[in-house]
Amino acid sequence: MQTSGQRIVNRLRASLFSSLLRQEVAFFDKTRTGELINRLSSDTALLGRSITENLSDGLRAGAQASIGIGMMFYVSPQLATFVLSVVPPISILAVIYGRYLQKLTKVMQDSLAQTTQLAEESIGNIRTVRAFGKEITEIEKYTSKVDHVMQLARKEAFARAGFFGATGLSGNLIVLSVLYKGGLLMGSAHMTVGELSSFLMYAFWVGLSIGGLSSFYSELMKGLGAGGRLWELLERKPELPFDGVVLNQESFQGTLEFRNVHFAYPARPEVPIFQDFSLSIPSASVTALVGPSGSGKSTVLSLLLRLYDPISGTISLDGHDIRQLNPVWLRSKIGTVSQEPVLFSCSIAENIAYGADDPSSVTAEQIEKVADVANAGAFIRNFPQGFNTVVGEKGVLLSGGQKQRIAIARALLKNPKILLLDEATSALDAENEYLVQEALDRLMEGRTVLIIAHRLSTIKNANTVAVLDQGKITERGRHEELLSKPNGIYRRLMNKQS
Ligand SMILES: Nc1ncnc2c1ncn2[C@@H]1O[C@H](COP(=O)(O)OP(=O)(O)OP(=O)(O)O)[C@@H](O)[C@H]1O
């Protein structure tokens, strides 16, 4: 039972994890990471234990109780009927207790999830916590959450004590009544001493088994309480599909077009981000997207990756609506380098190989080659462990410029037709900036590029500059053309920057 319990927990975890990773990005905008982690670790364990380890005790207790009751009827049907008259009130009590426990467990697991969420956030952001000197505040917040869990646990303990107390008391009362009633039956010569003693033994045995059953029942109810949210997550159908058409590789150009797109984030549907947004991005050319902060530049990239779908209008790739295309295939054709690239807590080599369709088939030479093209080879070789250097959680052991160059190497290995870039706003030192810029220029060669541009040099070199303002492209052209418009938004934007 213990090994099958572990197997069930493992399977539950694997299924839940796979169900979670298939959910659309909007789902993660609304759900907290700590809560999902708690579901994966604690809820699965509780459910697994309640239906396996506990089940063996329950089965044994059930079998013992049934045989014991049978024997009681065999010895004295009259006394057995009398004893079993306590079953209906105890059953009603059990149902009430079970429902309460199920509800309480749900609340308790939610409260535990909030505790995990808080711990995850405080530990994950320890640098910010430390910089603001908020350790004590965070500890107090965590302690108050833990105290809340304790209060709920106390409620559970009281309910448990009440239920087990009531069932235990009824058991004892039954024994006393059996002694009394059995005595009367013996007095009237309807029962022998031997029959009464064996009846008492069976009744005692049944009483013990019912204690075991009650414990099984309460654990089961706890499991069901924890399981409710698990089933919801396991059965949740992702809103964005995983299938669709794959375009012909030979004739694939990589031309992108937004036509009359309206969009608002599902988490904030009342705030429109794009209204009638249109933009075409020709194949093998560089389009620089500029616009004020919060105008929706990063959202354009998210829509192209199909992390969200527009409310209306179309986004097409080579004339095909991307909603018809297989999203996995679509994303395999797109490389991204974001402002602050996220790396995984493994070696540099593994992080670069992550860009390939099949990382296990990537050779060390390939990794070194792309790292050199991305101007990352030299600093990586300077580390004592070279390409095997572990970068820490989210790449915390590397500098911003180093992370960017590794992300560029990762994108180079992917070798995508389309590139979505978000240029870093944070200032790198001159040498780092030059190295990153040179690596980006190499990466952009011959691809369809949409770059959220901040540097003047990138904007000047782009084939087209598109100005995004208030949910629309308001101006489009080359840098000099746009600058020459006397009242243009672009001109104002550039003046502000300089
Ligand atoms: N996941 C999200 N859910 C809800 N609203 C969001 C989400 N992401 C961004 N927003 C909102 O959408 C708007 C556009 O954000 P976006 O990040 O696209 O702007 P941006 O032009 O890239 O800004 P910046 O230049 O400052 O990076 C902002 O008002 C932002 O608050």
Side-chain angles (χ1 to χ4, degrees):
M1 277 295 181
Q2 205 166 352
T3 51
S4 39
Q6 197 50 50
R7 209 172 302 137
I8 288 180
V9 172
N10 286 357
R11 284 205 192 137
L12 261 175
R13 283 185 180 149
S15 312
L16 183 60
F17 190 63
S18 115
S19 166
L20 288 178
L21 285 204
R22 284 167 187 277
Q23 299 304 323
E24 70 283 357
V25 169
F27 165 81
F28 295 94
D29 289 347
K30 289 178 257 171
T31 323
R32 295 167 144 220
T33 318
E35 175 178 340
L36 298 179
I37 290 171
N38 207 62
R39 304 269 169 247
L40 269 171
S41 53
S42 161
D43 290 12
T44 45
L46 196 59
L47 182 65
R49 203 172 47 231
S50 88
I51 54 179
T52 52
E53 280 173 52
N54 175 48
L55 187 66
S56 64
D57 294 339
L59 283 176
R60 192 176 44 236
Q64 280 184 2
S66 323
I67 295 170
I69 290 169
M71 293 308 291
M72 277 158 66
F73 272 99
Y74 176 71
V75 176
S76 169
Q78 206 183 349
L79 258 187
T81 316
F82 168 71
V83 167
L84 291 186
S85 62
V86 294
V87 170
I90 288 195
S91 308
I92 293 170
L93 191 68
V95 170
I96 297 170
Y97 167 69
R99 284 196 187 146
Y100 177 72
L101 200 59
Q102 200 172 343
K103 232 177 4 190
L104 192 68
T105 308
K106 222 173 193 174
V107 180
M108 200 144 129
Q109 291 304 106
D110 285 348
S111 185
L112 258 179
Q114 285 176 19
T115 314
T116 313
Q117 167 67 25
L118 202 122
E120 202 246 5
E121 214 161 27
S122 310
I123 297 171
N125 296 326
I126 187 66
R127 284 174 176 71
T128 313
V129 173
R130 180 82 23 108
F132 281 86
K134 294 285 180 199
E135 293 89 342
I136 303 291
T137 321
E138 293 298 318
I139 292 168
E140 278 168 3
K141 273 201 269 180
Y142 186 77
T143 315
S144 93
K145 292 269 178 216
V146 175
D147 284 347
H148 186 234
V149 176
M150 183 63 216
Q151 280 165 16
L152 294 169
R154 201 171 286 142
K155 275 190 182 174
E156 187 200 325
F158 277 124
R160 206 182 164 87
F163 178 65
F164 280 83
T167 48
L169 188 68
S170 358
N172 288 333
L173 286 176
I174 284 170
V175 174
L176 288 177
S177 340
V178 166
L179 277 175
Y180 174 71
K181 207 163 166 61
L184 292 181
L185 287 173
M186 260 171 56
S188 59
H190 282 99
M191 208 175 193
T192 64
V193 179
E195 280 170 345
L196 182 59
S197 333
S198 52
F199 188 92
L200 270 172
M201 293 286 279
Y202 289 131
F204 188 64
W205 199 28
V206 169
L208 276 184
S209 313
I210 286 179
L213 271 179
S214 312
S215 164
F216 160 70
Y217 178 71
S218 51
E219 287 300 312
L220 190 68
M221 287 298 132
K222 278 173 74 174
L224 291 180
R229 294 259 193 275
L230 282 185
W231 302 137
E232 269 171 36
L233 290 174
L234 276 169
E235 284 172 5
R236 191 177 190 281
K237 292 256 175 302
E239 276 171 27
L240 295 183
F242 272 79
D243 51 3
V245 179
V246 168
L247 297 183
N248 185 343
Q249 185 70 24
E250 311 282 288
S251 57
F252 180 56
Q253 295 290 314
T255 310
L256 295 162
E257 184 165 17
F258 286 76
R259 197 176 294 162
N260 312 111
V261 168
H262 287 72
F263 177 72
Y265 278 99
R268 258 191 250 145
E270 69 286 359
V271 184
I273 307 293
F274 296 136
Q275 303 188 52
D276 209 18
F277 175 91
S278 296
L279 173 68
S280 57
I281 303 158
S283 162
S285 73
V286 178
T287 303
L289 194 59
V290 296
S293 174
S295 56
K297 300 180 296 292
S298 308
T299 311
V300 173
L301 307 196
S302 300
L303 288 174
L304 282 175
L305 278 167
R306 216 180 156 208
L307 304 184
Y308 304 91
D309 270 345
I311 295 168
S312 64
T314 52
I315 303 169
S316 57
L317 173 61
D318 286 358
H320 301 267
D321 187 334
I322 61 169
R323 275 175 292 205
Q324 316 292 313
L325 303 179
N326 182 319
V328 180
W329 176 83
L330 171 74
R331 289 170 200 137
S332 75
K333 297 293 160 210
I334 302 177
T336 53
V337 180
S338 60
Q339 264 192 33
E340 284 186 16
V342 172
L343 303 182
F344 293 95
S345 55
C346 48
S347 71
I348 292 178
E350 284 167 305
N351 267 296
I352 295 176
Y354 199 78
D357 286 341
D358 176 15
S360 61
S361 66
V362 180
T363 62
E365 290 74 41
Q366 282 174 298
I367 292 176
E368 293 200 25
K369 193 172 159 209
V370 289
D372 285 331
V373 179
N375 281 339
F379 83 79
I380 297 172
R381 286 186 197 97
N382 268 340
F383 288 140
Q385 249 107 54
F387 281 82
N388 293 324
T389 307
V390 174
V391 300
E393 202 174 342
K394 294 183 185 163
V396 72
L397 305 180
L398 298 176
S399 77
Q402 289 171 337
K403 272 196 273 189
Q404 263 174 350
R405 280 178 276 159
I406 290 178
I408 292 170
R410 183 167 67 181
L412 276 166
L413 195 70
K414 188 169 184 181
N415 194 18
K417 187 82 186 164
I418 301 164
L419 258 185
L420 305 180
L421 304 176
D422 194 349
E423 225 173 29
T425 40
S426 52
L428 298 173
D429 63 72
E431 193 197 341
N432 244 316
E433 173 144 354
Y434 170 74
L435 292 172
V436 170
Q437 194 55 49
E438 193 179 55
L440 275 176
D441 290 343
R442 288 177 190 155
L443 176 65
M444 289 197 270
E445 263 167 34
R447 305 182 206 268
T448 306
V449 181
L450 179 64
I451 179 163
I452 298 178
H454 299 289
R455 290 193 198 98
L456 194 59
S457 61
T458 315
I459 296 170
K460 277 183 176 166
N461 291 335
N463 300 89
T464 315
V465 179
V467 184
L468 177 59
D469 189 39
Q470 302 192 355
K472 278 187 193 163
I473 296 296
T474 48
E475 288 170 30
R476 197 169 181 279
R478 288 199 66 105
H479 169 70
E480 301 79 19
E481 265 174 67
L482 296 180
L483 263 193
S484 64
K485 288 188 181 177
N487 293 321
I489 294 175
Y490 184 71
R491 197 184 158 116
R492 255 186 285 143
L493 208 68
M494 285 292 130
N495 282 343
K496 239 192 248 171
Q497 276 189 9
S498 55

